[in-house]
Amino acid sequence: MNRKVDHIELAKLNQIDGSFLDDRFDYEPLLTGHPLHTDHSLNFLNKRLKYPIWISSMTGGMPMGKLINERLAYVCKKYQIGMGLGSIRKLLDDERLFDTFNLRPLVGEDVPIVANLGIAQIENILNDHKTDQLQEVLGKLRVDCLMIHVNPLQEWMQKGGDRYYVPPYISIKKIAGQLDLPIGVKEVGQGMGPKSIQQLLNLPVRVFEFAAFGGTNFTKMELLRLEDKIYQETINPLITVGHDAISMINTFGKIFLPENGVISLKEIIISGGVESWKDGLCLIDRFKKITPQLQVEVVFGQAFRFLEYAKISKEALDSYMLGVIQGMDLYRSFLSLKNNVDDEV
């Protein structure tokens, strides 16, 4: 069909209600042309990312997980972005699952990947003096960091979930002193409050992932798996507590650095409710704007989007990444965060 005819036929469908205006940005079309090459690269865990994108911790330990991880590894290598493995808890119990987690041969040496393990398992490892076993597994995986997820609500809701009784910051400090690998910390869909974030700066933690409220919520996921529907309905109000990405960014803008000004934190992953690349860059820009006191690299993380396309094919992931990259190029050419941007993502 002729393009001009298309314009006539589609005119009615092209109408956009004014309420849909994204008022977070100034749009400046007069100041530059279309982007030829936009450099989005940054250093992350001593490696170079081509784009500020992180595939948040996914899956492993099952055949479908292996296929998904292989497709995600393909994306990471091709576009030089980082990713987190799913929890290696099963791998510690069964070495036969190693191939479902072993992505280093697929992504190569230039891409950062991190292993993932829960705080309850960390406490057990410390109590059972099995740090050497954990170090051995991490060494075989050749990961760049151990990401510890602090997930009290998820563990409580999970059928057969573990319990931990030592404050997580104590266990994190202990395990960091016993492992020859950087440590990261994240939640799993509720985010963290001001006191937890302030405590984070006192720990030997290099990477922090928000896993904020508003995206994939593993507490809700475990609750939905319970068979006791009365209990499920009764305790359900807990899934709506937490902190979204904006509130966590605002917290970082108010925190106090140690007296000597030295912190271990070097990298931030903003995840949780990041619906699009536009939201991701907006959150990155906001973080940098209100935290000039922090010298950290910042990326945005997504899990659900990558998972959905990874279940389809590599080609689906390529199409998604094409849109993301071109969208980010256009963002950097024509959009800027307004000085009076409100608290909406």
Side-chain angles (χ1 to χ4, degrees), residues 137-284:
V137 170
L138 296 172
K140 288 180 179 178
L141 291 171
R142 290 186 286 159
V143 293
D144 299 286
C145 173
L146 172 63
M147 184 72 75
I148 300 172
H149 57 265
V150 181
N151 57 335
L153 297 184
Q154 182 199 10
E155 288 285 8
W156 191 273
M157 302 301 177
Q158 183 178 336
K159 186 176 181 179
D162 290 334
R163 300 290 183 263
Y164 61 86
Y165 302 99
V166 176
Y169 73 90
I170 294 177
S171 297
I172 291 168
K173 190 172 183 178
K174 284 184 178 179
I175 200 72
Q178 297 181 27
L179 291 178
D180 185 22
L181 198 68
I183 296 295
V185 170
K186 64 175 292 185
E187 225 278 337
V188 294
Q190 314 287 152
M192 292 190 188
K195 293 180 181 178
S196 293
I197 291 175
Q198 185 67 60
Q199 180 64 254
L200 183 78
L201 297 187
N202 299 321
L203 297 174
V205 170
R206 172 157 179 170
V207 184
F208 177 56
E209 179 171 359
F210 281 22
F213 187 90
T216 302
N217 187 299
F218 282 88
T219 301
K220 181 177 181 180
M221 190 178 298
E222 296 298 346
L223 189 60
L224 291 173
R225 297 178 65 239
L226 296 180
E227 297 176 0
D228 187 337
K229 300 305 178 183
I230 295 177
Y231 176 81
Q232 182 187 101
E233 181 180 344
T234 304
I235 205 165
N236 184 69
L238 275 174
I239 69 172
T240 57
V241 303
H243 303 266
D244 63 15
I246 284 290
S247 69
M248 292 178 71
I249 289 173
N250 290 341
T251 293
F252 269 100
K254 300 173 184 176
I255 56 176
F256 298 97
L257 295 178
E259 289 186 7
N260 61 8
V262 178
I263 59 174
S264 298
L265 191 65
K266 302 297 181 189
E267 288 96 5
I268 294 282
I269 304 169
I270 301 176
S271 63
V274 182
E275 291 291 330
S276 70
W277 51 266
K278 186 174 68 171
D279 290 337
L281 292 186
C282 177
L283 290 167
I284 289 174

